[in-house]
Amino acid sequence: MKIFFGDIPEWRSRKVSHSLSSLVAVTVCALMCKVCLGQRDLAAFARQLTREQMKALRFPRDWSSRIHRYTPPSESTFARMLRHLDSQALQRALLRWLDHLLGKRNPVGDQVSVDGKELLNSQGVKVASAYSVRQGRWLGSEAVAEGSNEIPAVQAVLRRVDLEGSLVTADALNTQSETARIVVQEKGGDYLFTVKANQPGVVKNVQQLYRSLSCAFSPSGEESERSKL
């Protein structure tokens, strides 16, 4: 896992004891073990790793001990990482890791669901994410800008996901002409969006279109056509 995080930019200029790729690898392992991701929880998780695990993560050796011991990262080290980590670089690394584990995703025939959620214990921070419904696979996320809503964040996520031949579904908030244009014209996919009464103009257009189409074709089925012969 650690090798996939080597390209994440390092913000520290001085010599450090724990590499950034090691810190990220520990954080991802803690997440998979359902550990809360505060710096105190991460430091406690790192301390509980076995000696072999610490060695694999290349924690620095504690030379004051006669037996082989390694020094885990401190709370302050994790706090600085959480504050300065490049989130987009981390996301690209995680997606590469998923491709390695699951194989490269084939978008043709897939259904991609996009939605925005408020993060737990985040004091109101929201993130828009895309998922493969067929595979239950995370495809990317974008933070919702302060004072904005999830519409621009969803559009940013869709621009990064391979949608060629996929069907994109979203709630009524994301029933936007620009979002539909991105899906169809930029990414080669299709969409199925919800229309509600909070967009009266869109509702009226859909109703008129439905009435026009319902009159354009004969309701007669194949059996009715045979009976005329």
Side-chain angles (χ1 to χ4, degrees):
M1 181 196 299
K2 184 175 176 290
I3 61 174
F4 293 98
F5 305 132
D7 294 335
I8 299 177
E10 173 65 81
W11 74 89
R12 299 169 293 184
S13 56
R14 60 182 177 82
K15 185 177 180 180
V16 295
S17 300
H18 300 88
S19 69
L20 181 57
S21 58
S22 292
L23 296 176
V24 174
V26 172
T27 304
V28 173
C29 290
L31 178 63
M32 292 190 295
C33 293
K34 300 183 179 181
V35 173
C36 293
L37 295 183
Q39 61 266 25
R40 181 174 300 176
D41 305 299
L42 290 172
F45 177 81
R47 288 195 299 268
Q48 294 170 4
L49 295 173
T50 66
R51 186 170 59 187
E52 290 74 19
Q53 290 169 333
M54 291 186 183
K55 181 179 179 181
L57 288 164
R58 297 185 180 178
F59 287 0
R61 172 84 179 273
D62 180 4
W63 294 102
S64 64
S65 174
R66 296 182 61 181
I67 61 175
H68 284 192
R69 289 181 179 173
Y70 298 88
T71 304
S74 64
E75 288 185 29
S76 59
T77 299
F78 280 114
R80 287 190 291 270
M81 181 205 69
L82 294 172
R83 187 164 59 248
H84 295 289
L85 188 64
D86 186 328
S87 60
Q88 289 300 321
L90 173 62
Q91 181 169 176
R92 290 191 293 270
L94 290 172
L95 290 172
R96 287 196 301 269
W97 180 45
L98 283 179
D99 284 344
H100 174 75
L101 292 176
L102 305 176
K104 192 166 181 61
R105 167 180 165 265
N106 180 8
V108 178
D110 196 7
Q111 179 184 335
V112 175
S113 177
V114 288
D115 196 13
K117 297 293 183 184
E118 183 175 326
L119 298 180
L120 184 66
N121 300 324
S122 66
Q123 298 180 338
V125 176
K126 295 182 179 179
V127 172
S129 300
Y131 297 91
S132 165
V133 176
R134 183 176 63 186
Q135 299 180 356
R137 181 170 175 171
W138 172 68
L139 302 177
S141 299
E142 179 77 15
V144 176
E146 186 176 355
S148 182
N149 58 37
E150 68 185 61
I151 295 172
V154 164
Q155 293 171 354
V157 172
L158 290 174
R159 283 191 166 102
R160 295 198 298 264
V161 178
D162 188 355
L163 300 175
E164 188 72 35
S166 295
L167 174 67
V168 177
T169 58
D171 58 17
L173 177 63
N174 291 289
T175 304
Q176 307 287 330
S177 57
E178 175 63 10
T179 305
R181 188 195 65 78
I182 292 170
V183 172
V184 176
Q185 296 183 5
E186 290 189 19
K187 307 299 295 185
D190 206 345
Y191 62 88
L192 179 62
F193 292 164
T194 303
V195 177
K196 290 185 177 180
N198 61 341
Q199 296 174 300
V202 178
V203 172
K204 183 178 180 181
N205 290 338
V206 171
Q207 290 173 339
Q208 291 177 343
L209 180 63
Y210 175 76
R211 285 195 293 268
S212 299
L213 290 176
S214 63
C215 299
F217 301 96
S218 169
S220 302
E222 195 174 314
E223 293 298 325
S224 300
E225 292 299 324
R226 285 204 196 101
S227 64
K228 296 178 182 178
L229 298 178

